Amino acid sequence: MKFKAWNLGKIRRNLLHVLAMGRTFLLLSAMSVIFFVMLGVLGIAEKQLNTSPVSSMKGLAASLSSGFFMDMVGMELPHVASEKQTPAISGKQVTNFVFQLLTDVNPSDPKSLVAREVPGLGADSPILLRTGSGNGAAQAPEDYRPGAGADGSAPDHPEPDVPDDGSNADPGQEGNDSDTAQPPAEEPGKTDGSTGNQEEPSIKPGNKNIVMIYHSHPQESFNPVLGTNVDNPSSAEDKKNVGLVGEALAKELERRGVAALHKFENYAAKVSNYNYNYSYKYSRETVKQAMAENGQLQYFIDIHRDSQRHDKTTTTIDGVNYAQVYFIIGHGNKNWRENEKFASSIHERLEKAYPGISRGIWGKTSSQGNGEYNQSLSPNSVLIEIGGIDNSQEELERTAKVLAGILADLYWESQDAEKAGKLSKSSTNGIASGSAKSTDKSAGTTNKGAGSSNKSSDSANKGTNSTNKKS
């Protein structure tokens, strides 16, 4: 018989090795759990504390349209893909997306190549929130930034220091931002800043206007309208600048049964010591006055124009040219998501009915502009850039009519939903009250029946008593 000797030393080493591995595994597992818990907590904290529209992918996810996902599904389900629709997936688009995802450099925008290396070069880059079919390259809107001059024109940020002598006073200072604040002083007899004729003010107390259209940069104009070819066409006449777009929008809304208030104010001519930096504060006072005097206002549209050339701001649908639009959302408004929701409702309808007109929804912070754009005054407030410096009046008015149709549809649908809600509520109340009445009647009938039974019992008792007496 053979006996096997146990190598206790080897067994002990193996046991220690296993225990060491188990301890390491447990340590790594605990560290992983802690890491993911911290990620979750930090994610929740970031969502609660940060209102920035800049996502972790810096807007890259927004560059994927719904058509992109439809095309992906269409690869597996051929009947899903539409033969008429231009494919959203192409070698160029996929290459651009992957390259930008990996390098943060947009191949369609050479400036992004050096933006991170040159201080301030990338500070004016808006963030893409929702892509538009009319902007496949995801090119951001461009604003003309005039230098400081004698007329007070200057970039829309940062706001300058207010001098001690009170000149160039900030209209938002000294409590003027309250609901009782007065708008910028107007010259006697002028209501639109373009003529000196005596006219009734466009804002009347008690009006039932639904949509307010205004212009924070009222002098933005268009080369074809002025007969010029410059980088920043400007005019003080409301028939030759963005005012004509606002007027076309207002008229089409009125034609569709939606009362519109078009307020054109030439602040440069009306405000003493006018300063371009305060454009949105001047227009803010105009909006607040309109809200105070028109209790029915629901939608607020600030009409601007882009500073890009014709090929970047125009689309052709069925052989007809339309001015394209940008929707701008201000990050300076803590409730910007509500405004983005309103802009999305317009953008999505544009994409369905007139694909190519929308160039997407873009977010801007205070480092990229005003950053607020009066959008904190209402969740249904949005800045829309319609066309660019080279768009014709016909192209601008076509797009204005399309937007008016969408706004009118949104309003009437909201009214139908409100009426349906009221009818549903009244029906519910009627059913409840009817049930209560039926219950009361049933109870009354039961009580009457019980009373009759009691009376019958009393009669029977009386009859028994009389029989006993006779006996």
Side-chain angles (χ1 to χ4, degrees):
M1 178 179 286
K2 293 183 179 180
F3 294 94
K4 186 176 180 180
W6 293 90
N7 191 338
L8 296 178
K10 185 178 180 180
I11 294 174
R12 182 173 179 274
R13 285 195 302 270
N14 290 338
L15 183 59
L16 290 175
H17 181 66
V18 170
L19 291 175
M21 289 182 62
R23 184 168 54 187
T24 304
F25 176 76
L26 290 174
L27 180 61
L28 290 175
S29 300
M31 290 178 64
S32 299
V33 171
I34 294 173
F35 174 73
F36 285 109
V37 169
M38 288 182 64
L39 271 182
V41 171
L42 291 174
I44 295 173
E46 189 271 342
K47 185 176 181 181
Q48 296 294 328
L49 300 176
N50 185 23
T51 60
S52 173
V54 184
S55 66
S56 59
M57 294 183 67
K58 299 184 178 179
L60 282 173
S63 64
L64 295 177
S65 64
S66 58
F68 180 89
F69 295 102
M70 290 297 294
D71 286 347
M72 290 184 66
V73 175
M75 291 179 179
E76 301 297 330
L77 303 173
H79 297 290
V80 174
S82 174
E83 296 180 358
K84 298 181 180 179
Q85 189 174 0
T86 304
I89 301 177
S90 66
K92 181 181 178 181
Q93 288 175 323
V94 172
T95 302
N96 286 354
F97 176 80
V98 173
F99 187 79
Q100 188 173 355
L101 176 63
L102 296 176
T103 65
D104 202 23
V105 174
N106 184 358
S108 303
D109 184 11
K111 186 181 71 173
S112 63
L113 182 63
V114 293
R116 291 186 297 177
E117 304 300 328
V118 180
L121 187 58
D124 60 344
S125 300
I127 304 302
L128 178 61
L129 300 177
R130 289 180 182 267
T131 188
S133 56
N135 192 6
Q139 189 162 6
E142 293 183 7
D143 298 327
Y144 183 81
R145 302 287 186 186
D151 61 346
S153 61
D156 210 28
H157 67 83
E159 294 178 355
D161 295 331
V162 181
D164 294 335
D165 60 1
S167 61
N168 290 336
D170 179 352
Q173 296 286 346
E174 298 179 3
N176 285 346
D177 200 38
S178 64
D179 292 337
T180 58
Q182 296 299 319
E186 298 182 359
E187 293 180 10
K190 287 190 177 183
T191 59
D192 58 11
S194 59
T195 64
N197 298 330
Q198 296 287 340
E199 298 178 1
E200 288 187 17
S202 57
I203 298 179
K204 301 176 182 178
N207 275 5
K208 294 184 178 181
N209 293 308
I210 303 301
V211 182
M212 180 182 183
I213 304 161
Y214 68 102
H215 313 276
S216 294
H217 294 158
Q219 295 194 8
E220 292 179 337
S221 189
F222 312 89
N223 281 318
V225 176
L226 298 180
T228 58
N229 185 21
V230 295
D231 292 335
N232 184 37
S234 301
S235 175
E237 297 183 42
D238 59 347
K239 304 299 181 184
K240 295 184 178 181
N241 54 34
V242 288
L244 68 87
V245 184
E247 188 63 22
L249 181 61
K251 286 183 177 179
E252 183 64 16
L253 283 168
E254 295 280 357
R255 192 182 74 80
R256 292 174 178 269
V258 180
L261 169 64
H262 180 210
K263 187 65 175 173
F264 182 89
E265 296 281 0
N266 185 3
Y267 300 111
K270 295 181 177 183
V271 179
S272 60
N273 299 316
Y274 168 80
N275 192 311
Y276 184 86
N277 287 332
Y278 296 137
S279 295
Y280 290 97
K281 291 189 176 180
Y282 300 142
S283 62
R284 186 180 184 85
E285 299 306 316
T286 301
V287 174
K288 287 167 67 176
Q289 183 195 27
M291 295 176 73
E293 298 182 349
N294 294 262
Q296 300 293 325
L297 285 173
Q298 296 183 26
Y299 307 110
F300 302 86
I301 314 296
D302 189 3
I303 300 294
H304 293 245
R305 63 114 170 97
D306 194 61
S307 294
Q308 299 179 79
R309 287 295 183 175
H310 192 267
D311 61 328
K312 300 288 181 62
T313 62
T314 312
T315 189
T316 302
I317 302 175
D318 296 331
V320 180
N321 284 349
Y322 291 82
Q324 293 179 304
V325 301
Y326 282 106
F327 298 92
I328 307 298
I329 301 298
H331 160 59
N333 169 27
K334 65 179 182 179
N335 297 317
W336 66 269
R337 288 180 178 84
E338 294 296 323
N339 300 81
E340 194 267 342
K341 182 179 178 181
F342 171 59
S344 294
S345 65
I346 305 175
H347 163 78
E348 289 170 359
R349 290 170 184 253
L350 269 180
E351 288 288 271
K352 290 180 180 179
Y354 294 86
I357 288 184
S358 176
R359 290 179 67 83
I361 303 175
W362 296 76
K364 288 188 177 183
T365 66
S366 56
S367 65
Q368 299 151 0
N370 171 267
E372 199 272 342
Y373 307 112
N374 302 327
Q375 291 172 7
S376 61
L377 294 175
S378 170
N380 293 333
S381 174
V382 66
L383 187 157
I384 306 179
E385 294 185 358
I386 302 180
I389 58 176
D390 294 329
N391 283 104
S392 67
Q393 182 171 348
E394 292 76 17
E395 294 166 347
L396 296 164
E397 289 181 346
R398 288 189 194 111
T399 299
K401 290 180 179 180
V402 170
L403 287 173
I406 292 175
L407 285 170
D409 289 344
L410 287 173
Y411 170 70
W412 289 119
E413 287 175 14
S414 69
Q415 293 300 298
D416 292 340
E418 186 177 343
K419 288 180 181 178
K422 289 180 178 179
L423 288 173
S424 176
K425 186 176 180 181
S426 61
S427 300
T428 304
N429 292 337
I431 293 172
S433 61
S435 300
K437 289 180 179 179
S438 301
T439 303
D440 292 342
K441 288 181 179 179
S442 300
T445 306
T446 304
N447 291 335
K448 287 180 181 180
S452 302
S453 300
N454 292 336
K455 288 181 180 178
S456 301
S457 300
D458 291 341
S459 301
N461 292 334
K462 287 180 180 179
T464 304
N465 292 336
S466 5
T467 304
N468 293 332
K469 286 180 181 180
K470 289 179 180 178
S471 303

